[in-house]
Amino acid sequence: MAKKNRYGNIIIGSFVRKIGTNGKCTGHCAGKSIDINYKNGGFNTTGSLEMVINIFDYLMSLPLQYRKRMFFGLPFQGGFFKNRALPKFKSAPVSYLQDPRLREMIPHLGGVFPDNDNHLHIQVDWLK
């Protein structure tokens, strides 16, 4: 859908990785997650929020049984989370998100958690 709409600011980042040296798999090694970067800079750059909103818009077109299995790692960088003291990689309430569009969309898509900066992390079948 991004290609169809000529939305060229999306860069596909990490997809499949090896299991970490600690023996843990973040979802990348299981092929259940992907990182998406913003072509025009970090997630504190103007336009990155709009890119995420566009991606979520695309995902809203998926059947419900697929949408509700997704969890999204959003960065502390930029205007995503109100509270920057949240633990990373732990499920967070949508009320902690700054943007009202994100607060509206996330419940229809699955869930959200704070993640590392500089990318949007999308994971299927993420354990809370």
Side-chain angles (χ1 to χ4, degrees):
M1 291 186 83
K3 184 177 180 181
K4 178 181 160 186
N5 290 308
R6 298 176 186 224
Y7 194 73
N9 293 333
I10 297 172
I11 299 174
I12 303 299
S14 303
F15 186 54
V16 178
R17 297 181 195 157
K18 294 180 180 178
I19 293 176
T21 55
N22 60 2
K24 293 185 178 181
C25 174
T26 63
H28 288 281
C29 61
K32 293 184 176 189
S33 62
I34 190 166
D35 290 342
I36 298 175
N37 301 95
Y38 182 54
K39 183 177 181 179
N40 296 331
F43 275 66
N44 57 349
T45 307
T46 302
S48 62
L49 176 62
E50 295 308 315
M51 180 196 75
V52 171
I53 297 293
N54 284 338
I55 291 169
F56 287 0
D57 238 1
Y58 302 151
L59 295 174
M60 292 288 279
S61 69
L62 294 173
L64 187 62
Q65 70 263 28
Y66 298 114
R67 287 195 323 238
K68 294 298 279 184
R69 293 172 49 204
M70 294 184 196
F71 267 74
F72 302 93
L74 296 175
F76 283 121
Q77 193 179 42
F80 291 93
F81 286 98
K82 295 176 189 177
N83 179 349
R84 298 190 189 275
L86 296 170
K88 287 185 180 180
F89 319 121
K90 303 268 187 214
S91 184
V94 294
S95 61
Y96 287 16
L97 295 170
Q98 290 187 47
D99 191 273
R101 296 169 295 174
L102 291 175
R103 289 193 303 267
E104 175 67 27
M105 294 174 107
I106 293 289
H108 298 285
L109 292 169
V112 67
F113 61 95
D115 197 1
N116 295 317
D117 287 344
N118 289 317
H119 68 268
L120 163 66
H121 177 95
I122 301 175
Q123 184 150 339
V124 179
D125 294 333
W126 187 68
L127 300 174
K128 299 177 191 180

